[in-house]
mmCIF file of all heavy atoms in Angstrom:
data_model
loop_
_atom_site.group_PDB
_atom_site.id
_atom_site.type_symbol
_atom_site.label_atom_id
_atom_site.label_comp_id
_atom_site.label_asym_id
_atom_site.label_seq_id
_atom_site.Cartn_x
_atom_site.Cartn_y
_atom_site.Cartn_z
ATOM 1 N N PRO Y 39 -35.196 31.405 19.259
ATOM 2 C CA PRO Y 39 -35.993 32.313 20.090
ATOM 3 C C PRO Y 39 -37.127 31.602 20.823
ATOM 4 O O PRO Y 39 -37.616 32.097 21.833
ATOM 5 C CB PRO Y 39 -36.524 33.346 19.103
ATOM 6 C CG PRO Y 39 -36.385 32.725 17.751
ATOM 7 C CD PRO Y 39 -35.313 31.704 17.829
ATOM 8 N N HIS Y 40 -37.590 30.456 20.298
ATOM 9 C CA HIS Y 40 -38.750 29.798 20.921
ATOM 10 C C HIS Y 40 -38.519 28.302 20.997
ATOM 11 O O HIS Y 40 -37.584 27.765 20.397
ATOM 12 C CB HIS Y 40 -40.013 30.049 20.083
ATOM 13 C CG HIS Y 40 -40.378 31.482 20.009
ATOM 14 N ND1 HIS Y 40 -41.108 32.133 20.975
ATOM 15 C CD2 HIS Y 40 -40.079 32.421 19.068
ATOM 16 C CE1 HIS Y 40 -41.241 33.394 20.641
ATOM 17 N NE2 HIS Y 40 -40.621 33.605 19.487
ATOM 18 N N ASP Y 41 -39.419 27.631 21.698
ATOM 19 C CA ASP Y 41 -39.424 26.183 21.699
ATOM 20 C C ASP Y 41 -39.888 25.709 20.311
ATOM 21 O O ASP Y 41 -40.918 26.179 19.821
ATOM 22 C CB ASP Y 41 -40.381 25.684 22.794
ATOM 23 C CG ASP Y 41 -40.315 24.178 22.946
ATOM 24 O OD1 ASP Y 41 -40.197 23.486 21.913
ATOM 25 O OD2 ASP Y 41 -40.389 23.693 24.090
ATOM 26 N N PRO Y 42 -39.175 24.805 19.658
ATOM 27 C CA PRO Y 42 -39.520 24.456 18.264
ATOM 28 C C PRO Y 42 -40.811 23.663 18.149
ATOM 29 O O PRO Y 42 -41.350 23.558 17.051
ATOM 30 C CB PRO Y 42 -38.321 23.630 17.817
ATOM 31 C CG PRO Y 42 -37.765 23.072 19.078
ATOM 32 C CD PRO Y 42 -37.997 24.101 20.132
ATOM 33 N N GLU Y 44 -43.490 24.007 20.464
ATOM 34 C CA GLU Y 44 -44.589 24.641 21.192
ATOM 35 C C GLU Y 44 -45.581 25.254 20.205
ATOM 36 O O GLU Y 44 -45.185 26.031 19.331
ATOM 37 C CB GLU Y 44 -44.010 25.734 22.103
ATOM 38 C CG GLU Y 44 -44.941 26.147 23.204
ATOM 39 C CD GLU Y 44 -44.403 27.336 23.968
ATOM 40 O OE1 GLU Y 44 -43.453 27.971 23.458
ATOM 41 O OE2 GLU Y 44 -44.897 27.643 25.038
ATOM 42 N N HIS Y 46 -48.882 27.571 19.139
ATOM 43 C CA HIS Y 46 -49.742 28.694 19.534
ATOM 44 C C HIS Y 46 -50.786 28.839 18.461
ATOM 45 O O HIS Y 46 -50.548 29.501 17.447
ATOM 46 C CB HIS Y 46 -48.942 30.000 19.651
ATOM 47 C CG HIS Y 46 -47.907 29.960 20.733
ATOM 48 N ND1 HIS Y 46 -48.209 30.124 22.069
ATOM 49 C CD2 HIS Y 46 -46.579 29.739 20.678
ATOM 50 C CE1 HIS Y 46 -47.111 30.016 22.779
ATOM 51 N NE2 HIS Y 46 -46.102 29.777 21.964
ATOM 52 N N LEU Y 49 -51.596 32.079 16.917
ATOM 53 C CA LEU Y 49 -50.564 32.816 16.176
ATOM 54 C C LEU Y 49 -50.180 32.072 14.888
ATOM 55 O O LEU Y 49 -49.019 32.011 14.519
ATOM 56 C CB LEU Y 49 -49.315 32.988 17.051
ATOM 57 C CG LEU Y 49 -49.498 33.737 18.364
ATOM 58 C CD1 LEU Y 49 -48.236 33.663 19.203
ATOM 59 C CD2 LEU Y 49 -49.880 35.193 18.099
ATOM 60 N N ARG Y 50 -51.137 31.486 14.201
ATOM 61 C CA ARG Y 50 -50.828 30.684 13.020
ATOM 62 C C ARG Y 50 -50.429 31.545 11.826
ATOM 63 O O ARG Y 50 -50.968 32.624 11.614
ATOM 64 C CB ARG Y 50 -52.037 29.834 12.646
ATOM 65 C CG ARG Y 50 -52.432 28.875 13.751
ATOM 66 C CD ARG Y 50 -53.767 28.266 13.451
ATOM 67 N NE ARG Y 50 -53.697 27.476 12.235
ATOM 68 C CZ ARG Y 50 -54.733 27.286 11.439
ATOM 69 N NH1 ARG Y 50 -55.870 27.861 11.700
ATOM 70 N NH2 ARG Y 50 -54.602 26.550 10.359
ATOM 71 N N LEU Y 51 -49.502 31.052 11.053
ATOM 72 C CA LEU Y 51 -49.119 31.643 9.766
ATOM 73 C C LEU Y 51 -48.811 33.131 9.822
ATOM 74 O O LEU Y 51 -49.203 33.893 8.940
ATOM 75 C CB LEU Y 51 -50.227 31.384 8.717
ATOM 76 C CG LEU Y 51 -50.522 29.914 8.437
ATOM 77 C CD1 LEU Y 51 -51.771 29.780 7.599
ATOM 78 C CD2 LEU Y 51 -49.341 29.265 7.748
ATOM 79 N N LEU Y 52 -48.128 33.559 10.879
ATOM 80 C CA LEU Y 52 -47.706 34.960 10.957
ATOM 81 C C LEU Y 52 -46.547 35.191 10.005
ATOM 82 O O LEU Y 52 -45.748 34.289 9.750
ATOM 83 C CB LEU Y 52 -47.248 35.286 12.385
ATOM 84 C CG LEU Y 52 -48.297 35.248 13.498
ATOM 85 C CD1 LEU Y 52 -47.639 35.618 14.823
ATOM 86 C CD2 LEU Y 52 -49.429 36.212 13.174
ATOM 87 N N SER Y 53 -46.439 36.432 9.506
ATOM 88 C CA SER Y 53 -45.228 36.721 8.732
ATOM 89 C C SER Y 53 -44.155 37.254 9.685
ATOM 90 O O SER Y 53 -44.397 37.399 10.884
ATOM 91 C CB SER Y 53 -45.527 37.705 7.609
ATOM 92 O OG SER Y 53 -46.223 38.804 8.109
ATOM 93 N N SER Y 54 -42.978 37.558 9.137
ATOM 94 C CA SER Y 54 -41.848 37.887 10.009
ATOM 95 C C SER Y 54 -42.143 39.065 10.910
ATOM 96 O O SER Y 54 -42.797 40.026 10.505
ATOM 97 C CB SER Y 54 -40.601 38.202 9.188
ATOM 98 O OG SER Y 54 -40.762 37.790 7.881
ATOM 99 N N SER Y 55 -41.620 38.961 12.099
ATOM 100 C CA SER Y 55 -41.760 40.057 13.057
ATOM 101 C C SER Y 55 -40.544 39.971 13.973
ATOM 102 O O SER Y 55 -39.739 39.054 13.856
ATOM 103 C CB SER Y 55 -43.041 39.887 13.867
ATOM 104 O OG SER Y 55 -42.948 38.676 14.613
ATOM 105 N N TRP Y 56 -40.388 40.895 14.864
ATOM 106 C CA TRP Y 56 -39.261 40.839 15.783
ATOM 107 C C TRP Y 56 -39.339 39.602 16.653
ATOM 108 O O TRP Y 56 -38.330 38.983 16.956
ATOM 109 C CB TRP Y 56 -39.203 42.102 16.656
ATOM 110 C CG TRP Y 56 -38.628 43.234 15.885
ATOM 111 C CD1 TRP Y 56 -39.281 44.348 15.455
ATOM 112 C CD2 TRP Y 56 -37.282 43.338 15.445
ATOM 113 N NE1 TRP Y 56 -38.434 45.150 14.754
ATOM 114 C CE2 TRP Y 56 -37.199 44.560 14.732
ATOM 115 C CE3 TRP Y 56 -36.152 42.522 15.552
ATOM 116 C CZ2 TRP Y 56 -36.010 44.992 14.143
ATOM 117 C CZ3 TRP Y 56 -34.970 42.958 14.980
ATOM 118 C CH2 TRP Y 56 -34.910 44.171 14.270
ATOM 119 N N GLN Y 57 -40.590 39.257 17.015
ATOM 120 C CA GLN Y 57 -40.736 38.107 17.897
ATOM 121 C C GLN Y 57 -40.516 36.800 17.148
ATOM 122 O O GLN Y 57 -39.901 35.867 17.668
ATOM 123 C CB GLN Y 57 -42.131 38.129 18.530
ATOM 124 C CG GLN Y 57 -42.132 37.422 19.866
ATOM 125 C CD GLN Y 57 -43.538 37.214 20.370
ATOM 126 O OE1 GLN Y 57 -44.518 37.746 19.818
ATOM 127 N NE2 GLN Y 57 -43.669 36.442 21.436
ATOM 128 N N TYR Y 58 -41.016 36.739 15.909
ATOM 129 C CA TYR Y 58 -40.849 35.538 15.081
ATOM 130 C C TYR Y 58 -40.112 35.927 13.807
ATOM 131 O O TYR Y 58 -40.740 36.295 12.817
ATOM 132 C CB TYR Y 58 -42.213 34.926 14.737
ATOM 133 C CG TYR Y 58 -42.920 34.357 15.934
ATOM 134 C CD1 TYR Y 58 -43.946 35.048 16.554
ATOM 135 C CD2 TYR Y 58 -42.533 33.108 16.442
ATOM 136 C CE1 TYR Y 58 -44.583 34.536 17.673
ATOM 137 C CE2 TYR Y 58 -43.172 32.581 17.562
ATOM 138 C CZ TYR Y 58 -44.184 33.301 18.168
ATOM 139 O OH TYR Y 58 -44.805 32.782 19.267
ATOM 140 N N PRO Y 59 -38.801 35.883 13.800
ATOM 141 C CA PRO Y 59 -38.005 36.425 12.672
ATOM 142 C C PRO Y 59 -38.415 35.840 11.317
ATOM 143 O O PRO Y 59 -38.374 36.543 10.318
ATOM 144 C CB PRO Y 59 -36.579 36.018 13.025
ATOM 145 C CG PRO Y 59 -36.590 35.741 14.484
ATOM 146 C CD PRO Y 59 -37.962 35.307 14.843
ATOM 147 N N LEU Y 60 -38.788 34.585 11.272
ATOM 148 C CA LEU Y 60 -39.193 33.998 9.994
ATOM 149 C C LEU Y 60 -40.676 33.656 9.998
ATOM 150 O O LEU Y 60 -41.149 32.894 9.161
ATOM 151 C CB LEU Y 60 -38.363 32.746 9.699
ATOM 152 C CG LEU Y 60 -36.848 32.956 9.609
ATOM 153 C CD1 LEU Y 60 -36.160 31.638 9.335
ATOM 154 C CD2 LEU Y 60 -36.494 33.966 8.537
ATOM 155 N N GLY Y 61 -41.393 34.149 10.956
ATOM 156 C CA GLY Y 61 -42.818 33.889 11.003
ATOM 157 C C GLY Y 61 -43.154 32.578 11.704
ATOM 158 O O GLY Y 61 -42.295 31.929 12.281
ATOM 159 N N THR Y 62 -44.426 32.196 11.621
ATOM 160 C CA THR Y 62 -44.856 30.946 12.244
ATOM 161 C C THR Y 62 -45.509 30.052 11.212
ATOM 162 O O THR Y 62 -45.909 30.505 10.137
ATOM 163 C CB THR Y 62 -45.871 31.204 13.371
ATOM 164 O OG1 THR Y 62 -46.966 31.926 12.805
ATOM 165 C CG2 THR Y 62 -45.250 31.997 14.499
ATOM 166 N N ASP Y 63 -45.625 28.763 11.541
ATOM 167 C CA ASP Y 63 -46.238 27.834 10.580
ATOM 168 C C ASP Y 63 -47.719 27.635 10.900
ATOM 169 O O ASP Y 63 -48.298 28.369 11.704
ATOM 170 C CB ASP Y 63 -45.457 26.520 10.551
ATOM 171 C CG ASP Y 63 -45.588 25.746 11.856
ATOM 172 O OD1 ASP Y 63 -46.309 26.221 12.765
ATOM 173 O OD2 ASP Y 63 -44.958 24.689 11.951
ATOM 174 N N ASP Y 64 -48.304 26.648 10.277
ATOM 175 C CA ASP Y 64 -49.752 26.469 10.382
ATOM 176 C C ASP Y 64 -50.203 26.073 11.786
ATOM 177 O O ASP Y 64 -51.391 26.078 12.077
ATOM 178 C CB ASP Y 64 -50.208 25.431 9.361
ATOM 179 C CG ASP Y 64 -49.441 24.138 9.512
ATOM 180 O OD1 ASP Y 64 -48.202 24.199 9.680
ATOM 181 O OD2 ASP Y 64 -50.067 23.069 9.495
ATOM 182 N N LEU Y 65 -49.282 25.701 12.644
ATOM 183 C CA LEU Y 65 -49.659 25.376 14.016
ATOM 184 C C LEU Y 65 -49.119 26.410 14.989
ATOM 185 O O LEU Y 65 -49.041 26.174 16.195
ATOM 186 C CB LEU Y 65 -49.152 23.974 14.397
ATOM 187 C CG LEU Y 65 -49.791 22.827 13.608
ATOM 188 C CD1 LEU Y 65 -49.092 21.511 13.906
ATOM 189 C CD2 LEU Y 65 -51.280 22.726 13.926
ATOM 190 N N GLY Y 66 -48.662 27.533 14.437
ATOM 191 C CA GLY Y 66 -48.185 28.611 15.275
ATOM 192 C C GLY Y 66 -46.830 28.359 15.909
ATOM 193 O O GLY Y 66 -46.514 28.893 16.954
ATOM 194 N N ARG Y 67 -45.990 27.507 15.268
ATOM 195 C CA ARG Y 67 -44.667 27.266 15.797
ATOM 196 C C ARG Y 67 -43.663 28.175 15.096
ATOM 197 O O ARG Y 67 -43.811 28.492 13.911
ATOM 198 C CB ARG Y 67 -44.263 25.796 15.586
ATOM 199 C CG ARG Y 67 -45.171 24.851 16.334
ATOM 200 C CD ARG Y 67 -44.882 23.420 16.017
ATOM 201 N NE ARG Y 67 -45.155 23.110 14.623
ATOM 202 C CZ ARG Y 67 -45.305 21.853 14.188
ATOM 203 N NH1 ARG Y 67 -45.183 20.840 15.003
ATOM 204 N NH2 ARG Y 67 -45.562 21.634 12.917
ATOM 205 N N CYS Y 68 -42.636 28.568 15.818
ATOM 206 C CA CYS Y 68 -41.636 29.488 15.273
ATOM 207 C C CYS Y 68 -40.791 28.786 14.216
ATOM 208 O O CYS Y 68 -40.108 27.796 14.502
ATOM 209 C CB CYS Y 68 -40.746 29.988 16.420
ATOM 210 S SG CYS Y 68 -39.339 30.917 15.836
ATOM 211 N N ILE Y 69 -40.822 29.260 12.983
ATOM 212 C CA ILE Y 69 -40.100 28.606 11.890
ATOM 213 C C ILE Y 69 -38.592 28.662 12.119
ATOM 214 O O ILE Y 69 -37.879 27.691 11.915
ATOM 215 C CB ILE Y 69 -40.470 29.245 10.539
ATOM 216 C CG1 ILE Y 69 -41.941 28.968 10.237
ATOM 217 C CG2 ILE Y 69 -39.592 28.700 9.425
ATOM 218 C CD1 ILE Y 69 -42.416 29.578 8.963
ATOM 219 N N MET Y 70 -38.127 29.818 12.558
ATOM 220 C CA MET Y 70 -36.698 29.994 12.833
ATOM 221 C C MET Y 70 -36.184 28.929 13.817
ATOM 222 O O MET Y 70 -35.191 28.255 13.571
ATOM 223 C CB MET Y 70 -36.512 31.403 13.431
ATOM 224 C CG MET Y 70 -35.120 31.657 13.935
ATOM 225 S SD MET Y 70 -34.195 32.499 12.701
ATOM 226 C CE MET Y 70 -32.857 33.121 13.673
ATOM 227 N N SER Y 71 -36.918 28.770 14.921
ATOM 228 C CA SER Y 71 -36.496 27.795 15.925
ATOM 229 C C SER Y 71 -36.507 26.387 15.347
ATOM 230 O O SER Y 71 -35.616 25.570 15.615
ATOM 231 C CB SER Y 71 -37.420 27.833 17.140
ATOM 232 O OG SER Y 71 -37.532 29.145 17.595
ATOM 233 N N ARG Y 72 -37.534 26.101 14.542
ATOM 234 C CA ARG Y 72 -37.617 24.760 13.949
ATOM 235 C C ARG Y 72 -36.458 24.508 12.996
ATOM 236 O O ARG Y 72 -35.908 23.418 12.940
ATOM 237 C CB ARG Y 72 -38.961 24.583 13.245
ATOM 238 C CG ARG Y 72 -40.110 24.439 14.230
ATOM 239 C CD ARG Y 72 -41.441 24.270 13.543
ATOM 240 N NE ARG Y 72 -41.590 23.008 12.827
ATOM 241 C CZ ARG Y 72 -41.779 21.838 13.430
ATOM 242 N NH1 ARG Y 72 -41.833 21.778 14.744
ATOM 243 N NH2 ARG Y 72 -41.925 20.740 12.728
ATOM 244 N N LEU Y 73 -36.101 25.540 12.235
ATOM 245 C CA LEU Y 73 -34.965 25.383 11.320
ATOM 246 C C LEU Y 73 -33.689 25.109 12.115
ATOM 247 O O LEU Y 73 -32.884 24.251 11.761
ATOM 248 C CB LEU Y 73 -34.764 26.650 10.485
ATOM 249 C CG LEU Y 73 -35.659 26.830 9.269
ATOM 250 C CD1 LEU Y 73 -35.249 28.095 8.531
ATOM 251 C CD2 LEU Y 73 -35.571 25.629 8.354
ATOM 252 N N MET Y 233 -40.730 19.628 7.248
ATOM 253 C CA MET Y 233 -41.252 21.000 7.249
ATOM 254 C C MET Y 233 -41.697 21.393 5.847
ATOM 255 O O MET Y 233 -42.753 22.017 5.660
ATOM 256 C CB MET Y 233 -40.175 21.984 7.728
ATOM 257 C CG MET Y 233 -39.952 21.950 9.233
ATOM 258 S SD MET Y 233 -38.498 22.891 9.707
ATOM 259 C CE MET Y 233 -39.109 24.557 9.575
ATOM 260 N N ALA Y 244 -48.611 31.130 2.205
ATOM 261 C CA ALA Y 244 -47.425 31.392 3.020
ATOM 262 C C ALA Y 244 -46.205 30.641 2.474
ATOM 263 O O ALA Y 244 -45.810 29.624 3.016
ATOM 264 C CB ALA Y 244 -47.684 30.984 4.470
ATOM 265 N N PRO Y 245 -45.623 31.129 1.368
ATOM 266 C CA PRO Y 245 -44.487 30.424 0.766
ATOM 267 C C PRO Y 245 -43.272 30.324 1.698
ATOM 268 O O PRO Y 245 -42.419 29.476 1.491
ATOM 269 C CB PRO Y 245 -44.167 31.259 -0.487
ATOM 270 C CG PRO Y 245 -44.878 32.539 -0.313
ATOM 271 C CD PRO Y 245 -46.015 32.326 0.612
ATOM 272 N N ARG Y 246 -43.209 31.197 2.735
ATOM 273 C CA ARG Y 246 -42.103 31.097 3.716
ATOM 274 C C ARG Y 246 -41.932 29.678 4.237
ATOM 275 O O ARG Y 246 -40.835 29.217 4.478
ATOM 276 C CB ARG Y 246 -42.389 31.932 4.958
ATOM 277 C CG ARG Y 246 -42.608 33.368 4.814
ATOM 278 C CD ARG Y 246 -42.718 33.983 6.203
ATOM 279 N NE ARG Y 246 -43.835 33.443 6.997
ATOM 280 C CZ ARG Y 246 -45.120 33.688 6.755
ATOM 281 N NH1 ARG Y 246 -45.455 34.440 5.725
ATOM 282 N NH2 ARG Y 246 -46.052 33.182 7.527
ATOM 283 N N LEU Y 247 -43.074 29.015 4.455
ATOM 284 C CA LEU Y 247 -43.072 27.703 5.077
ATOM 285 C C LEU Y 247 -42.241 26.693 4.294
ATOM 286 O O LEU Y 247 -41.700 25.743 4.856
ATOM 287 C CB LEU Y 247 -44.510 27.179 5.210
ATOM 288 C CG LEU Y 247 -45.171 27.374 6.571
ATOM 289 C CD1 LEU Y 247 -45.231 28.839 6.934
ATOM 290 C CD2 LEU Y 247 -46.565 26.765 6.566
ATOM 291 N N PHE Y 250 -37.905 28.630 3.367
ATOM 292 C CA PHE Y 250 -36.788 28.617 4.312
ATOM 293 C C PHE Y 250 -36.200 27.224 4.555
ATOM 294 O O PHE Y 250 -34.981 27.064 4.489
ATOM 295 C CB PHE Y 250 -37.168 29.343 5.608
ATOM 296 C CG PHE Y 250 -37.316 30.820 5.396
ATOM 297 C CD1 PHE Y 250 -38.530 31.456 5.583
ATOM 298 C CD2 PHE Y 250 -36.238 31.567 4.955
ATOM 299 C CE1 PHE Y 250 -38.660 32.817 5.341
ATOM 300 C CE2 PHE Y 250 -36.356 32.924 4.720
ATOM 301 C CZ PHE Y 250 -37.569 33.558 4.910
ATOM 302 N N PRO Y 251 -37.035 26.199 4.789
ATOM 303 C CA PRO Y 251 -36.431 24.864 4.898
ATOM 304 C C PRO Y 251 -35.697 24.470 3.621
ATOM 305 O O PRO Y 251 -34.619 23.867 3.666
ATOM 306 C CB PRO Y 251 -37.620 23.942 5.145
ATOM 307 C CG PRO Y 251 -38.729 24.812 5.580
ATOM 308 C CD PRO Y 251 -38.481 26.178 5.029
#
Side-chain angles (χ1 to χ4, degrees):
Chain Y
H40 297 276
D41 186 321
E44 199 187 14
H46 296 281
L49 300 172
R50 299 169 63 209
L51 300 170
L52 294 181
S53 50
S54 345
S55 63
W56 282 111
Q57 207 191 350
Y58 293 101
L60 300 179
T62 57
D63 68 2
D64 54 316
L65 295 172
R67 297 174 295 198
C68 171
I69 294 178
M70 172 96 163
S71 308
R72 287 180 68 74
L73 279 183
M233 284 170 76
R246 301 186 299 289
L247 262 59
F250 291 117

